[in-house]
Each structure stands twice: as structure tokens, then as C-alpha cells.
Amino acid sequence: FKAFCHDNAHWLPAYCDFCAPRDRYHTANFRDWPAEATDLKDKKLEKERDFHAFVQYLLHCQLKAVHETAREMGVMLKGDIPIGICRDSVPAREDTRLFHFDGQAGAPPDAFARHGQNWGFPTYNWEEMAKDGYAWWRRRFAHTGLYFDAYRIDHVLGFFRIWEIPYGHIYGLLGRFRPALPLTPEEIKGFGFTQNPAALTRPLLTEERLEELSDAAGGW
């Protein structure tokens, strides 16, 4: 157990510091926790941290045993890594600089969702992540590799661009791609567009206008 805590010191203490007050105050929204939520002198809180660390150790042992047994039987295990994180999570609290909390990940309108999709996840600050060689992602991949022979990255396109909706908005169609490679006025004209580019690139649909259209149509 001590070896496990030592080898996972880059994430385990922060995780336990999160879980203890989360359970005590019955909410994962750490912004609502009182100031004394992470008091290091609180002996009861310290025991709660140790409990969560030990649970993770047991989970580690179980997953390793399953993985080793599966390989002995010629079975490969495939894991899954989601592209987004929850706003009320350990990374959101500990690695704030790595995310854009003024935006929400989602998808533009398509045949499956005419209003687009809003997943609510903060988007990544790739410029900040690049400063240490994307260490946050490298650690995540390495840890997943302990228990799986292969893994899938859900919405892998999010590494290259993401549909970002301003925080506070509901509809996915109010977003934009981030990053987005711009076109020059000359390139736009070369594609046959002769109108003012600004009229084609600036969103004209607002939440207020959506509500007006909804009322006129008798509701969505």
C-alpha cells in the first residue's frame, strides 16, 4: 500500500483531498465547500483521506489481477478514455490552468440533433498544456496502460478541434470550432463568395431570437 501511494503521488493525494469533503458535504461542487473543507489538521478528515487512498489501492490490485488473468487466457482488455472532464472534478480543481471554463464542449447541429449538442465539459487550454509537453495527458495514458492492452479515445477529434459553446448557453448551435483556421478575404472570394465575409462568419442567431422563433412555432 505504501509503495502504491508513493508511485501515484502525482494524483492520489489530490484525489483523496477531493473525495473526503465531497462525501462530507454531499456535493462534488468544490466551489460550495466551506473554507475548512480541506483543513489538514482535521484528524477525522485525515482518516477519510486514508480510506479513499486504500479503496484506490484495492481497486488497483483488482484491476491488475483481472488484467494478468485475462492475458494468461489470451484475452486482451480494451479501455476507454473520454475526451472531456467534469466541471466538478479533481482536474477541474487542481489543474485549473489547463482548461477553459468559459466554454463548454459539444457538437454542431447535424441530422441527429438539430440544435447541436452541449456536453457541458470545459475545453482544453492546449497552449498551457504544451508548456510541459502535455504531461497531464501523458500521465493519463500511462496509467490507463497499467490495466489495458489497448484503449479508445472517445471523440479523439477533440485533440485537433472542439465545438465550443460559451458558458451559460444551452443550445449547441451557438458555438464555434476551437481552434479554427481562418480564411483570408482573398481565399473566401476564390471559393465564389462575393458577399461581405463578416456577414457570413458572425453569428446572427441569439438566445433571444431562438426563444422568439420557439414561441412563433408553438414550442420546440
Side-chain angles (χ1 to χ4, degrees), residues 17 31 45 51 54 58 65 96 114 117 122 136 144 151 167 170 176 182 199 202 208:
D17 285 345
R31 303 163 192 84
L45 201 59
F51 167 78
F54 192 67
L58 294 180
T96 306
R114 62 176 181 171
Q117 300 177 46
W136 188 87
T144 305
Y151 45 76
Y167 184 69
I170 298 175
R176 64 183 178 89
R202 291 177 182 170
E208 292 75 13

PDB file of all heavy atoms in Angstrom, residues 17 31 45 51 54 58 65 96 114 117 122 136 144 151 167 170 176 182 199 202 208:
ATOM      1  N   ASP A  17      -8.003  14.286  -1.265  1.00  0.00           N
ATOM      2  CA  ASP A  17      -8.388  15.602  -0.728  1.00  0.00           C
ATOM      3  C   ASP A  17      -9.720  16.057  -1.304  1.00  0.00           C
ATOM      4  O   ASP A  17     -10.419  16.868  -0.703  1.00  0.00           O
ATOM      5  CB  ASP A  17      -7.311  16.643  -1.051  1.00  0.00           C
ATOM      6  CG  ASP A  17      -6.081  16.490  -0.162  1.00  0.00           C
ATOM      7  OD1 ASP A  17      -6.177  15.795   0.864  1.00  0.00           O
ATOM      8  OD2 ASP A  17      -5.026  17.057  -0.503  1.00  0.00           O
ATOM      9  N   ARG A  31     -16.721  24.347  -5.221  1.00  0.00           N
ATOM     10  CA  ARG A  31     -16.874  25.795  -5.027  1.00  0.00           C
ATOM     11  C   ARG A  31     -17.842  26.107  -3.887  1.00  0.00           C
ATOM     12  O   ARG A  31     -17.843  27.230  -3.366  1.00  0.00           O
ATOM     13  CB  ARG A  31     -17.358  26.427  -6.332  1.00  0.00           C
ATOM     14  CG  ARG A  31     -16.432  26.146  -7.522  1.00  0.00           C
ATOM     15  CD  ARG A  31     -17.113  26.406  -8.857  1.00  0.00           C
ATOM     16  NE  ARG A  31     -16.355  25.874  -9.974  1.00  0.00           N
ATOM     17  CZ  ARG A  31     -16.427  24.607 -10.394  1.00  0.00           C
ATOM     18  NH1 ARG A  31     -17.250  23.772  -9.788  1.00  0.00           N
ATOM     19  NH2 ARG A  31     -15.697  24.185 -11.413  1.00  0.00           N
ATOM     20  N   LEU A  45     -10.830  14.165   8.965  1.00  0.00           N
ATOM     21  CA  LEU A  45     -10.681  14.304   7.518  1.00  0.00           C
ATOM     22  C   LEU A  45      -9.474  13.510   7.026  1.00  0.00           C
ATOM     23  O   LEU A  45      -9.485  12.942   5.932  1.00  0.00           O
ATOM     24  CB  LEU A  45     -10.539  15.785   7.151  1.00  0.00           C
ATOM     25  CG  LEU A  45     -10.853  16.178   5.706  1.00  0.00           C
ATOM     26  CD1 LEU A  45     -12.286  15.796   5.354  1.00  0.00           C
ATOM     27  CD2 LEU A  45     -10.650  17.673   5.501  1.00  0.00           C
ATOM     28  N   PHE A  51      -8.853   6.432   3.929  1.00  0.00           N
ATOM     29  CA  PHE A  51      -9.846   5.462   3.474  1.00  0.00           C
ATOM     30  C   PHE A  51      -9.949   5.462   1.952  1.00  0.00           C
ATOM     31  O   PHE A  51      -9.925   4.409   1.308  1.00  0.00           O
ATOM     32  CB  PHE A  51     -11.215   5.773   4.092  1.00  0.00           C
ATOM     33  CG  PHE A  51     -12.352   5.037   3.443  1.00  0.00           C
ATOM     34  CD1 PHE A  51     -12.597   3.697   3.731  1.00  0.00           C
ATOM     35  CD2 PHE A  51     -13.178   5.675   2.525  1.00  0.00           C
ATOM     36  CE1 PHE A  51     -13.641   3.008   3.110  1.00  0.00           C
ATOM     37  CE2 PHE A  51     -14.228   4.990   1.911  1.00  0.00           C
ATOM     38  CZ  PHE A  51     -14.454   3.657   2.208  1.00  0.00           C
ATOM     39  N   PHE A  54      -6.932   3.889   0.332  1.00  0.00           N
ATOM     40  CA  PHE A  54      -6.926   2.435   0.429  1.00  0.00           C
ATOM     41  C   PHE A  54      -7.917   1.810  -0.539  1.00  0.00           C
ATOM     42  O   PHE A  54      -7.648   0.753  -1.124  1.00  0.00           O
ATOM     43  CB  PHE A  54      -7.241   2.003   1.866  1.00  0.00           C
ATOM     44  CG  PHE A  54      -6.980   0.543   2.114  1.00  0.00           C
ATOM     45  CD1 PHE A  54      -5.681   0.052   2.091  1.00  0.00           C
ATOM     46  CD2 PHE A  54      -8.017  -0.339   2.352  1.00  0.00           C
ATOM     47  CE1 PHE A  54      -5.420  -1.303   2.306  1.00  0.00           C
ATOM     48  CE2 PHE A  54      -7.776  -1.688   2.573  1.00  0.00           C
ATOM     49  CZ  PHE A  54      -6.466  -2.172   2.554  1.00  0.00           C
ATOM     50  N   LEU A  58      -7.046  -0.999  -3.382  1.00  0.00           N
ATOM     51  CA  LEU A  58      -7.768  -2.253  -3.613  1.00  0.00           C
ATOM     52  C   LEU A  58      -8.230  -2.354  -5.060  1.00  0.00           C
ATOM     53  O   LEU A  58      -8.138  -3.420  -5.690  1.00  0.00           O
ATOM     54  CB  LEU A  58      -8.966  -2.352  -2.667  1.00  0.00           C
ATOM     55  CG  LEU A  58      -8.669  -2.481  -1.170  1.00  0.00           C
ATOM     56  CD1 LEU A  58      -9.969  -2.556  -0.377  1.00  0.00           C
ATOM     57  CD2 LEU A  58      -7.802  -3.702  -0.888  1.00  0.00           C
ATOM     58  N   ALA A  65      -5.058  -7.787 -11.242  1.00  0.00           N
ATOM     59  CA  ALA A  65      -5.308  -9.232 -11.230  1.00  0.00           C
ATOM     60  C   ALA A  65      -6.162  -9.649 -12.423  1.00  0.00           C
ATOM     61  O   ALA A  65      -5.898 -10.674 -13.069  1.00  0.00           O
ATOM     62  CB  ALA A  65      -5.978  -9.633  -9.918  1.00  0.00           C
ATOM     63  N   THR A  96      -6.573  23.855 -12.829  1.00  0.00           N
ATOM     64  CA  THR A  96      -7.440  24.880 -13.410  1.00  0.00           C
ATOM     65  C   THR A  96      -6.845  25.524 -14.655  1.00  0.00           C
ATOM     66  O   THR A  96      -7.546  25.785 -15.634  1.00  0.00           O
ATOM     67  CB  THR A  96      -7.744  25.964 -12.366  1.00  0.00           C
ATOM     68  OG1 THR A  96      -8.280  25.341 -11.201  1.00  0.00           O
ATOM     69  CG2 THR A  96      -8.734  26.970 -12.900  1.00  0.00           C
ATOM     70  N   ARG A 114     -30.768  18.718 -34.139  1.00  0.00           N
ATOM     71  CA  ARG A 114     -30.879  19.934 -34.946  1.00  0.00           C
ATOM     72  C   ARG A 114     -30.440  21.183 -34.199  1.00  0.00           C
ATOM     73  O   ARG A 114     -30.150  22.209 -34.811  1.00  0.00           O
ATOM     74  CB  ARG A 114     -32.312  20.104 -35.448  1.00  0.00           C
ATOM     75  CG  ARG A 114     -33.360  20.264 -34.347  1.00  0.00           C
ATOM     76  CD  ARG A 114     -34.730  20.513 -34.954  1.00  0.00           C
ATOM     77  NE  ARG A 114     -35.758  20.700 -33.952  1.00  0.00           N
ATOM     78  CZ  ARG A 114     -36.992  21.092 -34.237  1.00  0.00           C
ATOM     79  NH1 ARG A 114     -37.324  21.346 -35.490  1.00  0.00           N
ATOM     80  NH2 ARG A 114     -37.880  21.237 -33.275  1.00  0.00           N
ATOM     81  N   GLN A 117     -25.328  19.812 -29.826  1.00  0.00           N
ATOM     82  CA  GLN A 117     -25.204  19.155 -28.523  1.00  0.00           C
ATOM     83  C   GLN A 117     -24.337  19.992 -27.598  1.00  0.00           C
ATOM     84  O   GLN A 117     -23.352  20.581 -28.024  1.00  0.00           O
ATOM     85  CB  GLN A 117     -24.588  17.768 -28.676  1.00  0.00           C
ATOM     86  CG  GLN A 117     -25.375  16.826 -29.555  1.00  0.00           C
ATOM     87  CD  GLN A 117     -24.669  15.495 -29.720  1.00  0.00           C
ATOM     88  OE1 GLN A 117     -24.188  14.899 -28.761  1.00  0.00           O
ATOM     89  NE2 GLN A 117     -24.592  15.018 -30.962  1.00  0.00           N
ATOM     90  N   PRO A 122     -15.690  21.584 -19.698  1.00  0.00           N
ATOM     91  CA  PRO A 122     -14.783  22.674 -20.066  1.00  0.00           C
ATOM     92  C   PRO A 122     -13.861  22.213 -21.193  1.00  0.00           C
ATOM     93  O   PRO A 122     -13.589  21.005 -21.321  1.00  0.00           O
ATOM     94  CB  PRO A 122     -14.010  22.936 -18.776  1.00  0.00           C
ATOM     95  CG  PRO A 122     -14.098  21.662 -18.000  1.00  0.00           C
ATOM     96  CD  PRO A 122     -15.434  21.080 -18.330  1.00  0.00           C
ATOM     97  N   TRP A 136       0.053  16.187 -18.533  1.00  0.00           N
ATOM     98  CA  TRP A 136      -1.233  15.745 -17.975  1.00  0.00           C
ATOM     99  C   TRP A 136      -1.781  14.573 -18.777  1.00  0.00           C
ATOM    100  O   TRP A 136      -2.220  13.574 -18.213  1.00  0.00           O
ATOM    101  CB  TRP A 136      -2.213  16.921 -17.985  1.00  0.00           C
ATOM    102  CG  TRP A 136      -3.512  16.674 -17.280  1.00  0.00           C
ATOM    103  CD1 TRP A 136      -3.779  16.859 -15.965  1.00  0.00           C
ATOM    104  CD2 TRP A 136      -4.740  16.189 -17.871  1.00  0.00           C
ATOM    105  NE1 TRP A 136      -5.086  16.532 -15.683  1.00  0.00           N
ATOM    106  CE2 TRP A 136      -5.707  16.124 -16.832  1.00  0.00           C
ATOM    107  CE3 TRP A 136      -5.120  15.823 -19.164  1.00  0.00           C
ATOM    108  CZ2 TRP A 136      -7.015  15.697 -17.057  1.00  0.00           C
ATOM    109  CZ3 TRP A 136      -6.421  15.396 -19.384  1.00  0.00           C
ATOM    110  CH2 TRP A 136      -7.350  15.344 -18.340  1.00  0.00           C
ATOM    111  N   THR A 144      -3.546   4.420 -17.638  1.00  0.00           N
ATOM    112  CA  THR A 144      -4.516   3.533 -18.266  1.00  0.00           C
ATOM    113  C   THR A 144      -3.829   2.279 -18.810  1.00  0.00           C
ATOM    114  O   THR A 144      -4.395   1.187 -18.792  1.00  0.00           O
ATOM    115  CB  THR A 144      -5.250   4.255 -19.404  1.00  0.00           C
ATOM    116  OG1 THR A 144      -5.835   5.457 -18.897  1.00  0.00           O
ATOM    117  CG2 THR A 144      -6.352   3.393 -19.995  1.00  0.00           C
ATOM    118  N   TYR A 151      -6.580   1.037 -25.723  1.00  0.00           N
ATOM    119  CA  TYR A 151      -7.668   1.893 -25.268  1.00  0.00           C
ATOM    120  C   TYR A 151      -8.127   2.808 -26.387  1.00  0.00           C
ATOM    121  O   TYR A 151      -7.397   3.111 -27.318  1.00  0.00           O
ATOM    122  CB  TYR A 151      -7.308   2.707 -24.020  1.00  0.00           C
ATOM    123  CG  TYR A 151      -5.953   3.382 -24.030  1.00  0.00           C
ATOM    124  CD1 TYR A 151      -5.713   4.529 -24.774  1.00  0.00           C
ATOM    125  CD2 TYR A 151      -4.919   2.888 -23.247  1.00  0.00           C
ATOM    126  CE1 TYR A 151      -4.490   5.152 -24.760  1.00  0.00           C
ATOM    127  CE2 TYR A 151      -3.682   3.509 -23.230  1.00  0.00           C
ATOM    128  CZ  TYR A 151      -3.469   4.635 -23.979  1.00  0.00           C
ATOM    129  OH  TYR A 151      -2.246   5.239 -23.965  1.00  0.00           O
ATOM    130  N   TYR A 167     -19.990  29.525 -22.072  1.00  0.00           N
ATOM    131  CA  TYR A 167     -20.575  29.045 -20.820  1.00  0.00           C
ATOM    132  C   TYR A 167     -21.845  29.841 -20.495  1.00  0.00           C
ATOM    133  O   TYR A 167     -21.886  31.050 -20.637  1.00  0.00           O
ATOM    134  CB  TYR A 167     -19.573  29.192 -19.672  1.00  0.00           C
ATOM    135  CG  TYR A 167     -20.096  28.631 -18.369  1.00  0.00           C
ATOM    136  CD1 TYR A 167     -20.276  27.265 -18.213  1.00  0.00           C
ATOM    137  CD2 TYR A 167     -20.416  29.467 -17.305  1.00  0.00           C
ATOM    138  CE1 TYR A 167     -20.757  26.733 -17.034  1.00  0.00           C
ATOM    139  CE2 TYR A 167     -20.901  28.948 -16.113  1.00  0.00           C
ATOM    140  CZ  TYR A 167     -21.074  27.582 -15.989  1.00  0.00           C
ATOM    141  OH  TYR A 167     -21.566  27.069 -14.808  1.00  0.00           O
ATOM    142  N   ILE A 170     -27.225  27.264 -23.667  1.00  0.00           N
ATOM    143  CA  ILE A 170     -27.807  25.926 -23.645  1.00  0.00           C
ATOM    144  C   ILE A 170     -27.659  25.234 -24.997  1.00  0.00           C
ATOM    145  O   ILE A 170     -27.254  24.078 -25.070  1.00  0.00           O
ATOM    146  CB  ILE A 170     -29.301  25.983 -23.265  1.00  0.00           C
ATOM    147  CG1 ILE A 170     -29.463  26.572 -21.851  1.00  0.00           C
ATOM    148  CG2 ILE A 170     -29.929  24.592 -23.345  1.00  0.00           C
ATOM    149  CD1 ILE A 170     -30.916  26.782 -21.452  1.00  0.00           C
ATOM    150  N   ARG A 176     -18.777  27.458 -31.753  1.00  0.00           N
ATOM    151  CA  ARG A 176     -17.817  27.617 -32.850  1.00  0.00           C
ATOM    152  C   ARG A 176     -16.707  26.599 -32.643  1.00  0.00           C
ATOM    153  O   ARG A 176     -16.522  26.083 -31.538  1.00  0.00           O
ATOM    154  CB  ARG A 176     -17.218  29.030 -32.869  1.00  0.00           C
ATOM    155  CG  ARG A 176     -16.383  29.354 -31.623  1.00  0.00           C
ATOM    156  CD  ARG A 176     -15.879  30.773 -31.642  1.00  0.00           C
ATOM    157  NE  ARG A 176     -15.125  31.111 -30.444  1.00  0.00           N
ATOM    158  CZ  ARG A 176     -13.806  30.932 -30.308  1.00  0.00           C
ATOM    159  NH1 ARG A 176     -13.126  30.402 -31.303  1.00  0.00           N
ATOM    160  NH2 ARG A 176     -13.189  31.272 -29.201  1.00  0.00           N
ATOM    161  N   PRO A 182      -8.571  30.348 -39.860  1.00  0.00           N
ATOM    162  CA  PRO A 182      -9.301  31.370 -40.618  1.00  0.00           C
ATOM    163  C   PRO A 182      -8.901  31.400 -42.091  1.00  0.00           C
ATOM    164  O   PRO A 182      -7.812  30.969 -42.469  1.00  0.00           O
ATOM    165  CB  PRO A 182      -8.879  32.671 -39.916  1.00  0.00           C
ATOM    166  CG  PRO A 182      -7.500  32.374 -39.399  1.00  0.00           C
ATOM    167  CD  PRO A 182      -7.513  30.919 -38.997  1.00  0.00           C
ATOM    168  N   ALA A 199     -20.586  39.099 -42.847  1.00  0.00           N
ATOM    169  CA  ALA A 199     -21.996  38.707 -42.820  1.00  0.00           C
ATOM    170  C   ALA A 199     -22.159  37.190 -42.808  1.00  0.00           C
ATOM    171  O   ALA A 199     -23.181  36.667 -42.388  1.00  0.00           O
ATOM    172  CB  ALA A 199     -22.721  39.292 -44.024  1.00  0.00           C
ATOM    173  N   ARG A 202     -20.200  35.965 -38.748  1.00  0.00           N
ATOM    174  CA  ARG A 202     -20.654  36.405 -37.433  1.00  0.00           C
ATOM    175  C   ARG A 202     -22.026  35.808 -37.131  1.00  0.00           C
ATOM    176  O   ARG A 202     -22.940  35.933 -37.947  1.00  0.00           O
ATOM    177  CB  ARG A 202     -20.742  37.939 -37.380  1.00  0.00           C
ATOM    178  CG  ARG A 202     -19.376  38.619 -37.427  1.00  0.00           C
ATOM    179  CD  ARG A 202     -19.521  40.130 -37.435  1.00  0.00           C
ATOM    180  NE  ARG A 202     -18.234  40.791 -37.525  1.00  0.00           N
ATOM    181  CZ  ARG A 202     -18.068  42.093 -37.743  1.00  0.00           C
ATOM    182  NH1 ARG A 202     -19.140  42.869 -37.911  1.00  0.00           N
ATOM    183  NH2 ARG A 202     -16.863  42.607 -37.797  1.00  0.00           N
ATOM    184  N   GLU A 208     -32.200  35.048 -27.494  1.00  0.00           N
ATOM    185  CA  GLU A 208     -33.474  35.758 -27.511  1.00  0.00           C
ATOM    186  C   GLU A 208     -34.240  35.462 -28.808  1.00  0.00           C
ATOM    187  O   GLU A 208     -35.451  35.238 -28.797  1.00  0.00           O
ATOM    188  CB  GLU A 208     -33.231  37.272 -27.370  1.00  0.00           C
ATOM    189  CG  GLU A 208     -32.696  37.702 -26.011  1.00  0.00           C
ATOM    190  CD  GLU A 208     -31.238  37.381 -25.812  1.00  0.00           C
ATOM    191  OE1 GLU A 208     -30.561  37.049 -26.816  1.00  0.00           O
ATOM    192  OE2 GLU A 208     -30.782  37.415 -24.652  1.00  0.00           O
TER     193      GLU A 208
END
